[in-house]
Amino acid sequence: TVFARLKVPAQDGAGGLLDHGVHAFIVPLRDEAGRCLPGVEIHDCGYKVGLNGVDNGAIRFSHVRVPRTNLLDRFAAVDKSGRYSSPLTSEGRRFAATLGELTGGRVGLSCGSVGVLKGAITIAIRYTAGRQQFGPPDSAEVSVLDYQSTQLKLLPILATAYCLHFAKDHLVNLYCEMKRTKDAQLIEEVHALSAGLKAYTTGYTQDALSACREACGGHGYAAINRLGQLRSDHDIFQTFEGDNTVLLQQVTGTLLKVYKAKFKGAPLSSTVTYLKQYMSGVLPHNPLVTHETDVRHLRDPAFLRSALRYRVARMLFTLQLRLRSQRTKLGDFYAWNSCLSHILALAKAHVESVALGAFQAAVDGCVDPDCRRALRALCDLYALRCIERDMVFRNDEYVAPAKAKAIQRLIEALCSELRGVALGLVSAFGIPDHILRAPIGLGANSGVNIYKEYLAAVGFDV
């Protein structure tokens, strides 16, 4: 499939060409013997940073002709007389519909990236749980995972891996419903969510891969333990099927449309219905809630959900004010560029809010009490970490200084609590050893000695 501009003769007989924008065409590349057809030139891209088992190349066309019927005509057609027709009235809508078919690729990338994240955190948790280093005088050494610094480095990653697992399941369900119903509003919703979740997940996973590698020390740097290869292979996830920075801007663009639709009384899609009650612009803070530091309040699902939703609505309100102000001075393009950091932060905040909603729904649906307790701790840790790391809550006086400190203490306590079940939580991912293939990350629960496995893998007689 080749994406190219479609130009047809003007119907007024003046001899000019009308450009209808980018369309998709089927273009044969090789003959039955595998040779390039006339006018087609193909070259391999050469060695890449990673994924060298995947062929990537460049194609150049020189005066290649294809039949009119090779135009993929779901969104547009050209009849024998050269007359162009389309059920979509604008070039922008046709372009969006054509590229909208890439949504499935973004859904797949989100799923694949979550799988890489699960593998990396499994290796890191198992290694740091088994690796012992230092300890009190005249006592046994303690596991690296028992150090608070390691817990704060790895356990929020574990919590995010679980959160993104449930978020991508939510996206997959919406995608399947979209393909079944072809509902226009759902198509737009899935397009935005797939763009946002792909960008957020792949960006987070790439950073987490480095954190997991560092947590495993020198053994993490050994190629045989695969963290380096995972990092190299995953790197491209951030730019193919859409550059992450561009995709996040699409999410914010959709949110701005939602903001306008709200005031016109138009219905909102399920992913953003929560914005209705938050988009009044000026929401007074309850001083009691702002300063509340009780653990029951801080772990209240309603508080955590409301906090992340408030952030999105507040950032959306302030963004539209900034854009309106800047447009009068700079015009649309430069106004958007001057607000770009705000735009990207808003998109990430929206994805985190949607992901938390999916995670909380999964916790509510868990019937096993021990499993539910662990999932609840992971969910709370994820949400609290989002609040702790974003200055918006403190700058906007949504979280008072004493409450911010209480949140930090609670994060440390949750990490300590989850330390005891961390091995079970990574084993619950169900990644077989022959898939993980990292000697330092093999099944700790099955009595595997990670040092013997590693030494044997690099050639020592053990």
Side-chain angles (χ1 to χ4, degrees), residues 12 37 111 137 178 231 240 252 291 326 356 362 388-389 411 455:
D12 58 10
L37 293 171
C111 296
M178 178 202 77
R231 186 169 57 183
F240 66 23
T252 296
H291 292 81
Q326 295 294 327
L356 178 64
E388 181 204 30
R389 291 192 160 190
I411 287 173
L455 291 172

Side-chain angles (χ1 to χ4, degrees), residues 399-422:
V399 173
K403 188 169 188 173
K405 292 180 181 178
I407 288 174
Q408 186 176 26
R409 290 193 298 269
L410 181 53
I411 287 173
E412 294 170 357
L414 286 171
C415 286
S416 179
E417 175 186 334
L418 287 165
R419 161 64 181 99
V421 292

Side-chain angles (χ1 to χ4, degrees), residues 303-384:
F303 161 69
L304 298 172
R305 184 168 55 249
S306 296
L308 296 198
R309 290 178 173 182
Y310 168 84
R311 175 180 57 165
V312 177
R314 185 63 178 170
M315 293 178 72
L316 179 56
F317 175 75
T318 54
L319 175 61
Q320 63 86 26
L321 289 179
R322 289 185 65 195
L323 287 172
R324 185 186 305 169
S325 172
Q326 295 294 327
R327 281 194 192 105
T328 59
K329 296 181 292 184
L330 304 174
D332 288 341
F333 178 85
Y334 289 107
W336 185 268
N337 188 50
S338 69
C339 298
L340 204 46
S341 62
H342 191 154
I343 288 165
L344 300 178
L346 170 57
K348 291 177 182 178
H350 173 64
V351 173
E352 288 178 348
S353 176
V354 174
L356 178 64
F359 201 170
Q360 289 183 335
V363 174
D364 292 340
C366 182
V367 295
D368 181 272
D370 292 332
C371 181
R372 183 187 177 109
R373 188 179 305 110
L375 287 177
R376 170 77 186 281
L378 288 167
C379 186
D380 294 349
L381 176 57
Y382 172 79
L384 290 166

Side-chain angles (χ1 to χ4, degrees), residues 11-259:
Q11 295 296 309
D12 58 10
L17 292 176
L18 290 179
D19 186 346
H20 292 285
V22 175
H23 289 63
F25 301 84
I26 296 296
V27 181
L29 301 178
R30 300 181 186 273
D31 60 21
E32 293 181 355
R35 296 181 295 264
C36 288
L37 293 171
V40 178
E41 186 179 356
I42 303 175
H43 293 284
D44 187 81
C45 284
Y47 286 107
K48 308 183 292 289
V49 172
L51 286 185
N52 282 300
V54 178
D55 289 333
N56 290 104
I59 306 175
R60 181 162 59 187
F61 298 100
S62 299
H63 303 289
V64 174
R65 298 180 63 89
V66 295
R68 172 184 58 84
T69 52
N70 280 31
L71 168 67
L72 296 179
D73 61 359
R74 180 177 176 186
F75 303 117
V78 178
D79 64 20
K80 292 181 179 180
S81 68
R83 186 181 301 275
Y84 177 87
S85 62
S86 172
L88 304 176
T89 55
S90 73
E91 180 180 329
R93 290 184 63 193
R94 289 192 296 271
F95 182 66
T98 301
L99 295 189
E101 296 304 300
L102 298 174
T103 296
R106 292 168 185 166
V107 173
L109 280 176
S110 298
C111 296
S113 186
V114 171
V116 172
L117 180 59
K118 289 177 180 178
I121 194 61
T122 296
I123 294 169
I125 290 289
R126 285 177 174 171
Y127 175 75
T128 56
R131 174 79 162 97
Q132 295 179 327
Q133 188 72 58
F134 309 119
D138 303 321
S139 299
E141 292 186 312
V142 301
S143 296
V144 173
L145 191 55
D146 288 329
Y147 288 100
Q148 187 183 76
S149 56
T150 305
Q151 293 175 7
L152 290 171
K153 180 182 292 184
L154 295 182
L155 293 175
I157 296 176
L158 178 60
T160 305
Y162 267 86
C163 183
L164 294 177
H165 167 85
F166 294 117
K168 62 90 176 168
D169 280 356
H170 173 65
L171 173 61
V172 169
N173 290 335
L174 286 177
Y175 177 75
C176 292
E177 181 70 9
M178 178 202 77
K179 298 296 283 187
R180 186 182 66 83
T181 65
K182 295 180 172 55
D183 178 76
Q185 188 178 52
L186 189 56
I187 289 173
E188 185 174 19
E189 178 180 3
V190 172
H191 175 70
L193 184 56
S194 65
L197 194 60
K198 180 267 181 186
Y200 183 90
T201 302
T202 56
Y204 182 89
T205 296
Q206 196 63 27
D207 291 339
L209 283 164
S210 290
C212 290
R213 205 292 301 160
E214 293 165 12
C216 295
H219 285 164
Y221 197 64
I224 198 169
N225 287 318
R226 300 197 60 229
L227 288 170
Q229 190 63 55
L230 285 172
R231 186 169 57 183
S232 295
D233 286 348
H234 181 272
D235 194 11
I236 190 62
F237 280 45
Q238 299 176 99
T239 48
F240 66 23
E241 295 288 354
D243 178 270
N244 284 356
T245 303
V246 176
L247 294 182
L248 291 172
Q249 292 178 69
Q250 291 182 12
V251 176
T252 296
T254 300
L255 292 175
L256 288 167
K257 286 177 59 179
V258 166
Y259 189 90

